[in-house]
Amino acid sequence: GSSFAGLVTAVCRILRVPLTTVSPGNHRAVRVERFFRYLGFVEKIVCADAQTFGAWLGGITFALYAWNASPVDGTDIVRSVAEKGRDFPPTH
């Protein structure tokens, strides 16, 4: 690896942050990439339905709420419970 990768590894070790290394082509293993892929799919659908990019912010809000309200892969635990320890509040 690079010196930057070594620095990131050292910082994570000091801060006791779990660090998992995945192969360069394994994009499914990285949660952030899965989220951005999901976000891209939602935005593509929202903008195609509205036929305007003005709906972009509404699509982002919808996608974020849906992601946080959905269960973690392979479990029945909602992401907001796993992250914050409480249910995601309903919108009105």
Side-chain angles (χ1 to χ4, degrees), residues 4-21:
F4 180 73
L7 178 63
V8 169
T9 303
V11 169
C12 288
R13 190 177 306 120
I14 290 168
L15 297 175
R16 296 183 180 145
V17 173
L19 181 66
T20 305
T21 305

Side-chain angles (χ1 to χ4, degrees), residues 27-28 31-42:
H27 301 289
R28 293 182 60 98
R31 277 187 279 169
V32 172
E33 289 192 27
R34 286 196 322 242
F35 171 73
F36 283 122
R37 185 174 180 190
Y38 159 77
L39 189 60
F41 285 144
V42 171

